[in-house]
């Protein structure tokens, strides 16, 4: 009976089943990916990174239900892998992709490529079940060949040693030989077995590859166009060079090959030699090898020397008789077993073999045949029994039992808790083994690491041999004899070469753990370090050094030694062990003081300790409490050559630990840490980590630098200048989603530099560096990123696309802008909306040195409110003393970039961005509104510099009403100016101007308010009024509040100072008021003058108020936040009228002629004694006098020189024309009198006394107030006229009272509120609206 040819349907059935199972189980996929990636050298990142990208793309396609995204992801991954050099990983990924694309034949071909390229990996780790179902039936001749060759080798063994069997019998696997038989093997026979195993693996792999090719041909020829016969199998003995071929046409029949249900059972074979079982008889159960070949246990070949030191095996089995057998590969079975039980055992072994991984132990039941005199913890165990004797470290030296509750003393020795407690309770205070005195008799916590190791060992050895103290009978209790497959055929030989080194190492470990002399322990550490470095036996040393007692010995050295060399060696050894064995880390972290000791040594300068600290993985909270930032920065600053080579470079470990600290630091500590990190030397060293070989170090550097930029933005320039971005871009391929976003954030921050040309250089590096297209990679990532991550990714992608002049169509640009707009409108994700608005704002391209966008300040500068912009420039030292060529080039580049960005944003979908901004301007979130408002203002303003493509109309429809509303209603001066700048883009458009008509009155009033702060407001006013801004509609004063003080008489004087209003009354009272909106609050009332308070004056610099009264005194008041308090009283010897004050003097009008000038030091002098003075004004040492005869004089107070500005007229008959009010403002002198000569107010140039203007009026002016824009004239008839100071025209008339006089007026500091005092005792406040 020959094996039939395999059909394409059978192949497709098996491959499809395997692939569907793989696609449905994520855990299985991840295990297979890990197995495949482990076969690629970690140093070969160029191969591994694109494969990881393909893995991620496949995972995205599996989890994403969107058809278009899934399809595009699979096409991208297929294109990447098809162009990639073929290897098992790429072929396996292609099979998954084809399966997802419903291409089963292509999927099967790619999966068979895995078997063809690496058959060993495919059959053992990737698809063992598929190998059994599809390949195994064709490989029966290979198994028969192997069994024949093995029999030839074993048949030459000498039988001069007893088979060591008594009446009792046992069963064991055919490949496990008794110790006596193996001990008699010669070196040549051992080598032959080893070579046979190697040949078997090679033959199996070769034929597996041949069969994979055959299956591929069957699939290609699935239409049956030609006949394809199964291939011939190649069988080769490498040692002897003979070669034989078995044709598939002559394959062994199913019955003879032990095929059950068409499947070959690799556990049992050659059953034709079976014998019926009965008591005292044995059954010879030979077998063919499985495709997981069994190894001869290596310890068997290396124990011949040690067995000579123990009791002879013949002595243990003195009653046994040799069993005659024609087959050397014999086994034994209990006489009590029946044939049915044996068959059950066969099936059980077969099932377990199919389900267990290749390296799991296979227990074989046998009755105990070991000597009862052998110690339980003996190192050299008898063959077949020793592996189930507990290791010495698992046994208490006091009780000889396996530990139940182990405790490790300070000496490093471990005991059972109850036993050592009893020892101590007897009065002992020393360690039972080392005899060292214990510093404390209080037992430590349970050694959970050791306890877990014991539990793990017990799971693998469910029926371990018991010790003598438990009273076990070795003749009656069965023992499980496990077989451990060797990891490599070389281990059979290499084990025999290590015994001498192990003995020396054991002695050093003993000195380390037990010596009471510190110097001996220190020397032991150095010897162990040399063993580790020089001996080619790291695995053996690792097992010996990883024990808790040895680790504790190392820790003891750290606590006590002061030798730098010893401490360094200890830390390096612990680091190397910890990087390979997690139990070492668990031992170290079990006691807090051990970790604290390591940290203390690190902070004292033991730089290598940082590697161990990293491996200990302390929590973020503990890292902050350790306060070791300075020590970490010291390691980072040091050159790598200064530090010994370790498993992890100390600088790398320092960067990783620093990254963990920064990730968990609170806002209070983060600024101090970043301040230390951003020093030039440290930041440059961290930047160098961006090109590290280890991806984790590169990512840690990215996160640290990103955090530094976010907290202290000024460091970004030095980072951008030093950073090599190509390795960072390469890291993007194999990074997780979180790491990818950190990379994108980092790159996005690097292009927020103050110089536009430098920004574009960095963008070119990002675009051009790396093995793959950065733009294409970002596009794929954008399609799968989280919602709040999309705006930053889209921003970077758009900037890369704009490095070239915008094209009509660009998939990158369209996708990026679509993403920004959709994020802006997505109200379900407020954080994404805010990020999108801030991103659009940052695209303007101008940044401060800290990376903050300058769009708002730049727009305010365009609107004429450039104080904010100038202050930012001074703060960042960005301003230039001159218009040099470099500055002009930078400005040109910035303007060009701004034009390109604005053009693509507003042109997308014919102004869709304006529609989105109009929707979100309704938001009540202040931060979000501000970003959207500035973005909208910028884009509308840029319409003035872009080609007219009709986009302005779309902007007008969407945004005009919003800008008008903000301009009219907001109280924020900057927002008002920005809205005005946006409106300026519409007023020159006929349609826009027409839409503004209904709100024109409010717009004009708002423009008039901004006229003194923004030059643009004046330009718009001129345009709207055809060059004239004198319309009365521009002025509007509102009656805010009125207070009745008639009980205090007339209001004779008023003065405003900061947020207070002071009023003087005819009954001698002074009142203090505060005003908010339409309310005047009386906060203080004092009456220390005995007669009328005729005048009040304030010196701004001295916070003092002066009051003059008819009681002949001047009082000085200190002005505090709440009240005024009289501090001085000056006796003037005369009534005080119209008091004016300078720093050291006061001037007032006495009862008679002239003007008195009084010094605060006590002296006084009379000036202009021939004139009766009516009004006074003093400015910069000049005193101006307005007289009853209509004359005006100027007196130089320093020299006493008198100059005449206007000559008076002496009239014997008729009414006098006095100068009732004088005021000096901006170098101009304003004088007010009656209108007898047609000019109520004359305006003089104070420097040359020339008349520069006049105000015609019919009123009789009693008081006057002048602001930067207006002149207020208070009349005898209770009316206040408002005149334009520049145009000299009346703009408004205010009716104050009907039957009273206006006696005094004052303006507040902002010139927004006019306070008026009247003769009927009322105080009124009018606001300029």
């Amino acid at each position: 009976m020959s094996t039939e040819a395999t059909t394409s349907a059978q192949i497709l059935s098996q491959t499809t089943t395997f692939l569907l199972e793989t696609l449905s189980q994520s855990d299985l996929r991840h295990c297979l990916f890990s197995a495949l990636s482990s076969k690629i050298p970690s140093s070969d990142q160029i191969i591994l990174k694109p494969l990881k990208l393909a893995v991620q793309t496949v995972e995205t396609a599996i989890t994403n239900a969107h058809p278009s995204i899934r399809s595009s992801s699979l096409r991208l991954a297929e294109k990447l892998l098809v162009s990639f050099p073929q290897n098992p990983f790429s072929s396996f990924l292609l099979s998954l992709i084809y399966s997802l694309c419903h291409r089963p034949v292509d999927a099967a071909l790619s999966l068979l490529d895995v078997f063809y390229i690496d058959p060993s990996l495919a059959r053992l780790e990737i698809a063992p079940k598929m190998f059994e179902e599809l390949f195994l039936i064709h490989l029966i001749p290979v198994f028969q060949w192997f069994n024949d060759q093995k029999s030839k080798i074993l048949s030459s063994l000498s039988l001069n040693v007893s088979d060591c069997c008594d009446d009792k019998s046992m069963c064991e696997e055919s490949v496990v030989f008794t110790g006596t038989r193996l001990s008699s093997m010669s070196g040549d026979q051992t080598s032959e077995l080893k070579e046979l195993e190697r040949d078997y693996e090679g033959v199996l792999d070769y034929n597996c590859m041949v069969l994979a090719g055959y299956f591929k041909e069957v699939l290609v020829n699935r239409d049956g166009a030609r006949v394809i016969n199964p291939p011939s199998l190649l069988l080769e003995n490498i040692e002897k060079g003979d070669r034989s071929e078995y044709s598939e046409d002559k394959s062994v029949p199913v019955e003879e090959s032990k095929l059950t249900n068409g499947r070959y059972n690799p556990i049992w074979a050659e059953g034709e030699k079976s014998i019926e079982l009965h008591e005292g008889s044995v059954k010879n159960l030979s077998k063919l090898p499985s495709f997981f070949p069994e190894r001869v246990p290596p310890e068997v070949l290396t124990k011949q020397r040690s067995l000579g030191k123990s009791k002879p095996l013949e002595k243990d089995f003195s009653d046994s008789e040799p069993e005659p057998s024609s087959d050397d590969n014999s086994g034994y079975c209990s006489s009590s077993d029946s044939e049915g039980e044996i068959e059950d055992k066969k099936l059980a072994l077969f099932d377990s073999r199919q389900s267990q991984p290749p390296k799991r132990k296979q227990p074989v039941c046998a009755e105990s045949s070991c000597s009862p005199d052998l110690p339980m913890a003996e190192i050299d165990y008898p063959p077949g029994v020793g592996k189930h004797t507990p290791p010495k470290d698992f046994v208490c030296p006091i009780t000889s039992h396996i530990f139940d509750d182990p405790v490790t003393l300070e000496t490093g020795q471990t005991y059972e808790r109850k036993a050592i407690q009893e020892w101590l309770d007897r009065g002992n205070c020393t360690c039972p083994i080392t005899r060292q005195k214990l510093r404390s008799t209080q037992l430590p916590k349970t050694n959970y690491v050791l306890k877990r190791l014991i539990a793990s060992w017990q799971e693998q050895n469910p029926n371990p041999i018991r010790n003598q103290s438990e009273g076990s009978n070795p003749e009656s209790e069965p023992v499980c004899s496990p077989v451990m497959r060797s990891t490599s055929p070389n281990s059979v030989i290499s084990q025999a070469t290590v015994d001498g080194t192990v003995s020396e190492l054991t002695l050093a470990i003993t000195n380390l753990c037990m010596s009471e002399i510190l110097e001996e322990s220190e020397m032991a550490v150095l010897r162990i370090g040399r063993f580790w470095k020089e001996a080619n036996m790291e695995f053996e040393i690792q097992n010996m050094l990883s024990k808790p007692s040895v680790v504790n010995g190392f820790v003891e050295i750290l606590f006590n030694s002061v030798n730098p060399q010893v401490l360094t060696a200890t830390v390096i050894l612990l680091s190397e062990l910890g990087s390979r064995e997690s139990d070492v880390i668990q031992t170290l972290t079990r006691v807090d003081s051990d970790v604290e000791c390591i940290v203390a040594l690190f902070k004292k300068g033991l730089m290598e300790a940082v590697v161990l600290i990293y491996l200990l993985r302390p929590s973020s909270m503990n890292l902050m409490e350790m306060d070791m930032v300075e020590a970490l920065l010291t390691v980072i600053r040091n050159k790598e050559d200064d530090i010994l080579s370790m498993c992890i470079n100390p600088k790398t470990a320092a960067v990783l630990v620093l990254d963990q600290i920064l990730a968990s630091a609170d806002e209070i500590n983060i600024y101090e840490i970043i301040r230390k990190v951003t020093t030039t030397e440290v930041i440059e060293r961290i930047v160098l980590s961006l090109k590290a070989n280890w991806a984790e170090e590169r990512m840690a550097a990215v996160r640290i630098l990103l955090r530094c930029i976010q907290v202290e933005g000024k460091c970004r320039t030095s980072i951008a200048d030093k950073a090599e971005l190509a390795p960072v871009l390469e890291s993007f391929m194999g990074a997780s989603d979180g790491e990818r976003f950190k990379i994108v954030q980092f790159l996005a921050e690097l292009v927020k530099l103050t110089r536009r040309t430098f920004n574009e250089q960095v963008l070119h590096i990002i675009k051009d560096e790396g093995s793959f297209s950065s733009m294409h990679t970002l596009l794929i990532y954008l399609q799968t990123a989280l919602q709040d991550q999309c705006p930053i990714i889209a921003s970077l992608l758009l900037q890369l696309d704009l490095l070239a002049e915008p094209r009509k169509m660009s998939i990158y640009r369209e996708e990026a802008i679509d993403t920004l707009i959709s994020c802006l409108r997505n109200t379900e994700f407020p954080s994404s909306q805010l990020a999108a608005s801030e991103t659009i704002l940052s695209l303007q391209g101008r940044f401060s040195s800290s990376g903050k966008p300058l769009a708002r300040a730049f727009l305010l500068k365009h609107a004429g409110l450039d104080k904010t912009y100038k202050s930012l420039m001074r703060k960042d030292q960005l301003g230039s003393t001159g218009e040099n060529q470099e500055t002009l080039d930078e400005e040109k580049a910035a303007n060009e970039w701004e034009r390109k960005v604005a053009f693509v944003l507003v042109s997308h979908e014919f102004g869709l961005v304006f529609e989105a901004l109009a929707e979100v301007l309704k938001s009540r979130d202040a931060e979000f509104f501000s970003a959207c408002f500035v973005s909208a203002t910028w884009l509308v303003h840029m319409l003035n510099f872009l080609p007219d493509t009709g986009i302005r109309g779309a902007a007008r429809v969407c945004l005009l009403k919003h800008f008008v509303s903000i301009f009219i209603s907001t109280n924020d001066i900057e927002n008002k100016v920005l809205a005005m700048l946006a409106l300026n883009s519409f007023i020159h458009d006929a349609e826009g101007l027409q839409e503004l008509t209904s709100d024109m009155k409010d717009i004009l009033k708002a423009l008039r308010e901004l006229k003194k702060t923004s030059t643009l407001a004046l330009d718009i006013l001129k345009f709207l009024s055809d060059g004239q801004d004198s319309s009365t509609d521009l002025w509007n004063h509102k009656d805010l509040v009125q207070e009745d003080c008639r009980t205090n008489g007339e209001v004779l004087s008023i003065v405003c100072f900061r947020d207070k209003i002071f009023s003087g009354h005819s009954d001698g009272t002074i009142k203090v008021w505060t005003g908010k909106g339409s309310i005047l609050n009386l906060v203080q009332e004092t009456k220390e003058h005995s007669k009328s308070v005729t005048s009040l004056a304030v010196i701004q610099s001295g916070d003092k108020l002066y009051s003059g009264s008819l009681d002949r005194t001047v009082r000085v008041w200190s002005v505090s936040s709440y009240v005024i308090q009289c501090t001085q009283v000056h006796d003037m010897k005369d009534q005080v009228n119209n008091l004016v004050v300078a720093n050291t003097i006061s001037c007032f009008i006495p009862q008679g002629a002239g003007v008195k000038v009084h010094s605060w030091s006590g002296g006084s002098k009379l000036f202009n004694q021939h004139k009766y003075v009516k009004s006074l004004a003093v400015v910069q040492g000049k005193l101006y006098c307005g007289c009853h005869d209509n004359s005006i004089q100027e007196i130089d107070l320093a020299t006493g020189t008198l100059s005449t500005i206007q000559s008076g007229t002496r009239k014997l008959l008729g009414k006098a024309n006095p100068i009732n009010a004088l005021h000096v403002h901006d170098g101009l002198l304003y004088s007010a009198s009656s209108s007898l000569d047609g000019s109520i107010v004359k305006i003089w140039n104070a420097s040359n006394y020339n008349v520069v203007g006049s105000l015609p009026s019919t009123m009789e002016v009693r008081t006057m107030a002048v602001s930067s824009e207006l002149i207020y004239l208070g009349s005898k008839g209770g009316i206040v006229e408002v005149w334009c100071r520049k145009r000299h025209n009346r703009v408004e008339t205010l009716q104050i009272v009907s039957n009273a006089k206006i006696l005094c007026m004052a303006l507040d500091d902002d010139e927004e509120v006019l306070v008026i005092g009247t003769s009927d005792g009322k105080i009124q406040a009018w606001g300029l609206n």
Side-chain angles (χ1 to χ4, degrees), residues 17-297:
T17 300
F18 169 74
L19 290 172
L20 289 178
E21 181 182 3
T22 303
L23 291 171
S24 64
Q25 301 180 29
S26 60
D27 291 341
L28 175 60
R29 282 198 310 278
H30 295 158
C31 290
L32 296 179
F33 291 155
S34 177
L36 289 162
S37 63
S38 66
K39 299 301 180 182
I40 300 175
S42 58
S43 59
D44 202 349
Q45 293 294 322
I46 296 178
I47 294 178
L48 195 56
K49 289 173 183 175
L51 291 176
K52 288 184 178 179
L53 177 61
V55 168
Q56 185 172 1
T57 307
V58 170
E59 290 292 334
T60 300
I62 294 173
T63 57
N64 201 314
H66 196 282
S68 61
I69 294 179
R70 180 172 181 167
S71 177
S72 63
S73 298
L74 291 175
R75 285 198 303 271
L76 173 66
E78 180 187 358
K79 183 179 179 181
L80 174 67
L81 292 172
V82 168
S83 62
F84 196 77
Q86 192 178 46
N87 61 40
F89 203 166
S90 63
S91 297
F92 180 71
L93 289 173
L94 275 173
S95 70
L96 296 179
I97 292 171
Y98 291 144
S99 182
L100 288 170
C101 294
H102 307 293
R103 295 158 61 183
V105 176
D106 290 336
L109 290 172
S110 295
L111 184 58
L112 290 171
D113 281 337
V114 180
F115 282 89
Y116 190 85
I117 299 169
D118 194 338
S120 177
L121 174 67
R123 63 185 173 84
L124 295 177
E125 299 186 48
I126 304 304
K129 187 174 180 181
M130 177 181 156
F131 174 77
E132 293 176 30
E133 300 287 351
L134 197 59
F135 288 77
L136 202 59
I137 193 171
H138 298 277
L139 295 173
I140 294 174
V142 178
F143 304 140
Q144 293 174 338
W145 167 80
F146 177 82
N147 229 29
D148 292 343
Q149 298 300 317
K150 184 181 69 174
S151 298
K152 290 178 184 178
I153 297 172
L154 296 180
S155 63
S156 62
L157 282 177
S158 174
L159 300 179
N160 59 351
V161 181
S162 172
D163 288 338
C164 306
C165 295
D166 55 9
D167 293 338
K168 306 285 183 179
S169 61
M170 61 183 178
C171 66
E172 60 182 1
E173 293 189 28
S174 62
V175 294
V176 182
F177 311 101
T178 62
T180 52
R181 186 179 296 270
L182 289 172
S183 63
S184 64
M185 289 174 63
S186 66
D188 291 341
Q189 291 167 334
T190 302
S191 299
E192 287 180 8
L193 276 178
K194 178 173 176 292
E195 290 296 326
L196 175 61
E197 290 177 357
R198 190 187 68 181
D199 290 348
Y200 167 70
E201 294 282 356
V203 170
L204 199 60
D205 286 346
Y206 176 82
N207 288 297
C208 183
M209 182 175 65
V210 171
L211 288 172
Y214 160 65
F215 295 146
K216 290 176 65 176
E217 287 187 26
V218 171
L219 286 176
V220 173
N221 188 49
R222 60 186 180 277
D223 55 356
R226 59 190 178 91
V227 178
I228 301 176
N229 295 319
S232 298
L233 300 181
L234 178 66
L235 304 177
E236 179 181 2
N237 186 324
I238 299 177
E239 177 70 21
K240 297 181 179 180
D242 61 335
R243 177 177 302 178
S244 58
E245 290 190 357
Y246 286 77
S247 171
E248 284 289 344
D249 296 333
K250 299 179 180 180
S251 59
V252 180
V254 173
E255 293 82 358
E256 297 177 5
S257 301
K258 294 302 168 194
L259 285 166
T260 304
N261 296 327
R263 292 182 57 187
Y264 171 66
N265 188 328
I267 300 297
W268 303 102
E270 299 186 9
E272 69 277 10
K273 297 182 180 181
S274 63
I275 305 173
E276 285 192 8
L277 295 176
H278 54 84
E279 186 172 353
S281 69
V282 297
K283 183 176 181 181
N284 187 353
L285 298 174
S286 298
K287 69 169 188 174
L288 287 173
S290 72
F291 51 90
F292 304 126
E294 300 285 355
R295 303 279 198 254
V296 178

Side-chain angles (χ1 to χ4, degrees), residues 437-453:
K437 188 173 182 179
L438 302 175
R439 288 179 288 183
S440 172
T441 57
Q442 183 176 0
L443 295 181
K445 295 179 180 179
T446 301
N447 188 336
Y448 289 104
V449 175
L450 180 58
K451 193 169 183 177
R452 283 195 292 271
L453 289 174

Side-chain angles (χ1 to χ4, degrees), residues 604-823:
K604 291 179 181 178
L606 187 59
M607 296 186 192
E608 291 78 8
V610 70
V611 177
L612 189 53
I613 293 172
Y614 167 71
L615 294 173
L616 292 176
R617 307 282 179 164
S619 66
S620 300
M621 182 179 298
N622 290 339
L623 280 174
M624 292 301 301
E625 293 174 353
M626 290 172 185
D627 188 25
M628 55 181 179
V629 172
E630 288 288 356
L632 291 172
L633 299 183
T634 301
V635 176
I636 293 173
R637 276 192 293 263
N638 266 20
K639 302 298 182 183
E640 295 182 12
D641 294 340
D642 299 339
I643 306 177
L644 297 176
S645 176
M646 299 178 66
C647 57
I648 300 175
N649 187 280
K651 182 221 170 184
T652 299
V655 170
L656 294 170
V657 174
L658 180 61
D659 172 41
Q660 189 178 352
I661 291 175
L662 287 176
S664 59
D666 53 32
E667 293 299 325
I668 298 176
N669 295 317
I670 189 70
Y671 289 100
E672 181 62 24
I673 297 174
I674 292 298
R675 184 185 62 81
K676 297 175 181 177
V677 173
T678 50
T679 58
T680 302
E681 192 173 1
V682 174
I683 206 75
E684 288 181 357
R685 294 284 292 165
I686 295 176
V687 168
L688 289 177
S689 292
L690 292 176
K691 56 181 180 179
N693 292 327
W694 192 16
E696 188 172 348
E697 181 183 358
R698 294 200 297 272
M699 280 309 309
V702 167
R703 288 189 291 266
I704 293 172
L705 295 174
L706 176 61
R707 198 76 175 102
C708 290
I709 290 173
Q710 291 171 339
V711 175
E712 181 54 58
K714 292 185 179 181
C715 66
R716 83 183 64 229
T717 302
S718 60
I719 294 173
D721 188 39
K722 303 290 184 182
E724 289 190 22
L725 299 182
V728 178
L729 296 171
E730 294 291 344
S731 297
F732 189 86
M733 299 300 178
S736 64
D737 285 343
E739 291 173 340
R740 287 185 174 190
F741 185 60
K742 289 295 182 183
I743 292 175
V744 172
Q745 279 186 299
F746 175 62
L747 297 176
E749 290 293 337
L750 286 187
V751 292
K752 293 182 180 179
L753 305 171
T754 56
R755 296 176 56 189
R756 185 68 245 168
T757 54
F758 199 2
N759 275 333
E760 295 188 15
Q761 289 175 15
V762 176
L763 285 170
H764 275 292
I765 292 173
I766 297 172
K767 183 178 181 180
D768 300 333
E769 293 286 344
S771 305
F772 299 91
S773 168
S774 299
M775 295 178 66
H776 189 67
T777 303
L778 286 174
L779 178 62
I780 297 299
Y781 180 42
L782 180 62
Q783 294 173 343
T784 58
L786 297 177
Q787 185 73 15
D788 56 352
Q789 297 174 350
C790 288
I792 296 178
I793 304 170
S795 169
L796 185 58
L797 181 60
L798 179 59
Q799 291 181 73
L800 294 175
D801 183 73
L802 289 178
L803 287 176
E805 189 66 26
R807 301 174 295 278
K808 286 187 177 181
M809 285 296 296
S810 168
I811 185 174
Y812 306 110
R813 181 174 73 241
E814 299 298 320
E815 187 72 21
I817 299 178
D818 270 336
T819 300
L820 286 175
I821 293 176
S822 63
C823 289

